[in-house]
Each structure stands twice: as C-alpha cells, then as structure tokens.
C-alpha cells in the first residue's frame, strides 16, 4: 500500500468501456453486493420485527449504486457509500451496518491508493458504520470489536492481494526479460553462423578468382559465380533472421525461404569443396524427416565446423557423417588438419570460441551432447548427438 496503483481489470469485460464510468464487472459487483445486503437485511428484519421495511430495501439498493464508479473514483465512491449508509442507519434501526457494499468500497480504496489514504479511510469507515445504531454514542464492546475486526479483515485481504499482484507482475517481467535474452542469444548464434560461413566462403572464392584471373578465366568465373551465390544466400538468411525484429512493419512481398536443414548438407559440402576444402558426406541409417529445429541444428553444426576447418586446418580434408538412429540423430565432422592448430574455441588459438559456444547452446536446447577436440592422429573432431522423442524417432 505504499504507492498509488490502478486496480487490475479496470478495463472490465465490455468493449468500449471507456465511454461510461463503469464496466460490466463493476455492474456485476454492485448487483452482487446489493443482493447480499438485501438478503441479510431481509432475514434480520423478519426475525427481529416480523416484517421487512420497504424503505430499508430501497436505501440498500441505492447505497450500492456508487460501486459502479469504484474504479474511476474509489475515494468518492467510498464517501458516497458511507453517506448513503448513514442515511440508512438513521432511517432504519438495524444491528449491523458494515455490509457488503461498504466492504467492496473500502477494499477498492485500499487496493488502489497509498497507505496515507487507506489508513484514514479505514478508520472513518469503521467509525461511521456505528453511527445510527441505538447506542452509537456509547457503543457496545461487541459493536466495536465487530466493526474493527471487519475493517481489519478488509485491510488484510487487500494488502495480501496487492502483494500477490506485485509478485505476479515481477514474475511476468522476469519471464519477459528472460524470453528477450533467449531470443537475443538465438539471433546472435544465427548471425555468427551465417556471417562466419558465408563471409569465409566469399573471402576464399575472391582470393581464388584473383589468383586465377590471368591464368584460368574459367576457374575464376566459377569462383565468382560461387561468390555471388554465397553472398545472395547470406543476404537472404540474414533478412529472414532480422524479420523477427521488424514487428509492426509491412511484410515482404517476396516469400521467405524455409530454414535450412539436413537436406541442405549436400549443398554446403559442395560449397566447402569449391572453397578449397575437399569434403565427403556419409549418411548412415534410414533417412527420414526430422523436426525443423533439429534439422537446423544439424545444419548449423556442420556449417560452423567446416567453416572453421577451412580457416584453421589449412590444406586438409574433411568428412561429414550423419547417422540416423532409432531414437536419436548424430552428426560428426572431422578433418585431418594440423592437430592442435585445427579446430576452434578456447585453447585453439583461433578467436574467442563463439562458434563452439553457439554449437553447445544449440545442442543443449535439444537435450543432446556435444564433443569437440583434437584427434590423436591429427585433425579435429566435432560430434553431436540429438535425441528424438517417440513421435520424432519413428519413420513418417
């Protein structure tokens, strides 16, 4: 109750609710409070007097009407309820005046206002509910205790709800921040993979074209064609990725291509060969469709491993092995480069290891395992195993 806050749900459930000072929910609350008060008043009057005063029923209904504006003006609503309740107290002698209408009005003030407003509002409400009773100038202990307990219960309930609402909002913000951070890491992984692979390929192709420009124009032309295709592919993949950040803008007229998967391994192996790293692809097991996220992870692992083999393993050969198991898919990329100088990541002497971190994050997201490191006979190994669920592991 330390700060002023709006009561949750102020917009209610009625479209266009801002045109009136109340919502459908406020109307339901007002009707419910009036009904509860009428039932209590009717039963009490029937037992004590043998009849139900009509004036009391009318005043009870009228005193509930200010609840329609309780969200827009909670303090004024409470004041109106207390004044109408005072008229009821002075007109119809009843034993208990801390009714449902007063409870709702006071609860709304405590929920929406600071302690500096809620504390005196509670005190005034407890006091005014005694006015009009037979012995209000010298109230009975039971009346004081009853009204004080009623006010205390309302304060406790409103305080607990305020704390619960703050906790819910804090958790919602935490989840939103976590989702943003996860998406940022995903975009960073994708950008790293796209830039590292395609820019490396373009650099090698440009160097090959320059070296053969005066000796073998056909080789130079093929290198330039590959360079053009790699640049086009990089732009398309980056545009697809950055579309995630373009919420609210008009959609591109050109349809976006699907994310790459295991079906694109032959293409990336061919690009690796043209870029100067002889690469072989070996597919084992019974081929079957994989979930798009798993296929993308396999593709990015192979892409990153071949890119780093071209950069760091110089003059070697590479092999890619894709194995379909009954409940998993495994991919292994090896090269026969210069041992410790091959590969990448911390300790390899090549860069900061973002590629290795990105691989590991992708594999962990799928509950898999990743193994990387130099081979005893020379070269470098990247091996990943990705589990498949029962539905994903069967042939479809």
């Amino acid at each position: 109750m330390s700060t002023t806050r709006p009561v949750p749900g102020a917009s209610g459930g009625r479209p266009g609710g801002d045109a009136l000072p109340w919502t459908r929910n406020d109307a339901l609350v007002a009707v419910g409070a009036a009904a509860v008060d009428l039932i209590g008043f009717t039963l009490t009057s029937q037992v004590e007097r043998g009849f139900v005063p009509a004036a009391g029923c009318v005043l009870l209904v009228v005193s509930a009407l200010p609840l329609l504006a309780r969200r827009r003006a909670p303090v004024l609503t409470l004041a109106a309820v207390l004044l109408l309740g005072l008229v009821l107290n002075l007109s119809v002698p009843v034993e208990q005046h801390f009714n449902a209408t007063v409870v709702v009005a006071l609860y709304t003030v405590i929920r929406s206002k600071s302690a500096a407003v809620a504390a005196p509002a509670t005190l005034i409400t407890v006091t005014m509910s005694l006015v009009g009773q037979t012995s209000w100038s010298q109230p009975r202990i039971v009346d004081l205790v009853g009204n004080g307990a009623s006010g205390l219960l309302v304060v406790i309930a409103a305080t607990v709800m305020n704390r619960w609402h703050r906790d819910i909002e804090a958790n919602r913000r935490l989840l939103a921040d976590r989702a943003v951070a996860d998406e940022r890491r995903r975009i960073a992984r994708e950008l790293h993979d796209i830039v590292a692979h395609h820019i490396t390929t373009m650099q090698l192709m440009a160097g090959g074209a320059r070296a053969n420009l005066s000796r073998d124009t056909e080789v130079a032309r093929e290198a330039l064609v590959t360079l053009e295709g790699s640049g086009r592919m990089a732009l398309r993949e980056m545009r697809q990725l950055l579309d995630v950040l373009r919420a609210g803008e008009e959609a591109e007229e050109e349809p976006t291509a699907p994310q790459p998967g295991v079906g694109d391994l032959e293409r990336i192996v061919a690009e690796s060969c043209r870029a100067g790293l002889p690469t072989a692809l070996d597919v084992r097991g019974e081929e079957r469709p994989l979930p798009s996220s798993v296929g993308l992870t396999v593709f990015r692992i192979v892409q990153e491993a071949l890119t780093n083999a071209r950069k760091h393993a110089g003059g070697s050969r590479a092999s890619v092995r894709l194995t379909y198991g009954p409940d998993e898919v495994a991919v292994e990329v090896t090269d026969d480069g210069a041992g410790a100088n091959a590969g990448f990541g911390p300790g390899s002497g090549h860069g900061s290891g973002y590629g290795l971190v990105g691989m590991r994050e992708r594999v962990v997201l799928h509950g898999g395992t990743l193994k990387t490191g130099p081979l005893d006979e020379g070269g470098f190994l990247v091996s990943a195993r990705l589990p498949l669920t029962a539905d994903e592991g069967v042939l479809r």
Side-chain angles (χ1 to χ4, degrees):
M1 298 193 302
S2 59
T3 57
T4 303
R5 65 187 67 81
V7 178
S11 60
R14 177 180 53 80
D18 292 338
L20 294 174
W22 67 81
T23 67
R24 181 178 60 188
N25 291 342
D26 293 329
L28 292 175
V29 170
V31 171
V36 171
D37 290 341
L38 280 175
I39 293 174
F41 179 74
T42 300
L43 294 177
T44 302
S45 300
Q46 192 66 40
V47 171
E48 295 182 353
R49 299 180 181 82
F51 70 96
V52 180
C57 294
V58 173
L59 288 173
L60 279 175
V61 174
V62 172
S63 65
L65 291 178
L67 295 181
L68 294 172
R70 68 189 183 93
R71 298 181 189 273
R72 296 294 183 90
V75 175
L76 292 179
T77 297
L78 177 62
V81 167
L82 291 178
L83 289 176
L84 291 172
L86 181 61
V87 174
L88 173 64
N89 293 351
L90 297 175
S91 303
V92 182
V94 294
E95 290 297 325
Q96 181 56 257
H97 298 289
F98 208 103
N99 53 28
T101 300
V102 175
V103 168
V104 172
L106 178 60
Y107 175 85
T108 304
V109 170
I110 299 174
R111 285 294 315 274
S112 60
K113 297 298 180 180
S114 64
V117 176
T122 303
L123 182 60
I124 292 173
T125 301
V126 172
T127 302
M128 288 193 65
S129 62
L130 295 172
V131 178
Q133 295 188 16
T134 304
S135 56
W136 71 273
S137 58
Q138 296 180 346
R140 297 173 299 177
I141 297 297
V142 65
D143 294 329
L144 292 174
V145 173
N147 280 19
S150 299
L152 181 61
L153 288 176
V154 174
V155 171
I156 292 175
T159 303
V160 170
M161 287 301 297
N162 279 339
R163 183 177 298 275
W164 177 78
H165 185 258
R166 286 197 299 270
D167 292 342
I168 291 295
E169 288 298 320
N171 290 335
R172 184 179 294 113
R173 287 193 297 269
L174 179 61
L175 291 175
D177 293 341
R178 187 175 300 170
V180 170
D182 290 342
E183 184 66 11
R184 185 176 298 152
R185 284 194 296 269
R186 186 189 72 82
I187 293 174
R189 287 196 305 268
E190 294 289 337
L191 282 175
H192 174 270
D193 292 344
I194 292 170
V195 171
H197 170 72
H198 290 293
I199 298 301
T200 300
T201 301
M202 293 165 66
Q203 178 185 6
L204 293 174
M205 290 296 101
R210 178 180 55 80
N212 291 277
L213 189 59
S214 60
R215 295 183 299 176
D216 193 335
T217 57
E218 184 62 23
V219 173
R221 189 189 68 81
E222 291 180 1
L224 291 174
V225 170
T226 303
L227 175 62
E228 180 185 8
S230 184
R232 188 182 300 111
M233 180 73 68
L235 288 175
R236 184 170 69 245
E237 292 187 17
M238 290 181 67
R239 183 173 60 183
Q240 286 181 265
L241 183 61
L242 295 178
D243 279 345
V244 178
L245 307 177
R246 302 168 68 181
E249 295 185 7
E250 295 183 359
E252 296 284 348
E253 295 182 359
E254 179 183 350
T256 57
Q259 289 277 23
V262 293
D264 298 278
L265 292 183
E266 292 184 359
R267 172 178 61 80
I268 201 171
V269 166
E271 290 181 1
S272 179
C273 293
R274 289 194 296 269
L277 177 66
T279 306
L281 175 62
D282 181 17
V283 179
R284 300 185 179 185
E286 190 172 0
E287 297 186 37
R288 59 184 182 275
L290 296 176
S292 58
S293 59
V294 175
L296 176 61
T297 297
V298 171
F299 177 85
R300 292 304 187 199
I301 289 173
V302 174
Q303 183 184 57
E304 180 67 21
L306 292 179
T307 298
N308 283 275
R310 290 198 298 271
K311 288 193 295 184
H312 307 313
S316 65
R317 302 178 63 88
S319 65
V320 178
R321 177 183 298 171
L322 178 65
T323 304
Y324 291 91
D327 56 358
E328 69 173 11
V329 60
V331 60
E332 181 179 289
V333 182
T334 60
D335 65 69
D336 56 1
N341 292 327
F344 53 100
S348 67
H350 299 284
S352 56
Y354 292 121
L356 179 59
V357 173
M359 282 189 194
R360 196 171 302 280
E361 287 180 347
R362 290 179 185 277
V363 172
V364 169
L365 285 176
H366 293 282
T369 59
L370 178 69
K371 178 182 178 183
T372 62
L375 298 172
D376 294 337
E377 62 276 14
F380 201 84
L381 166 70
V382 174
S383 177
R385 293 183 176 275
L386 303 172
L388 301 175
T389 64
D391 292 336
E392 296 168 346
V394 298
L395 180 64
R396 290 173 293 175

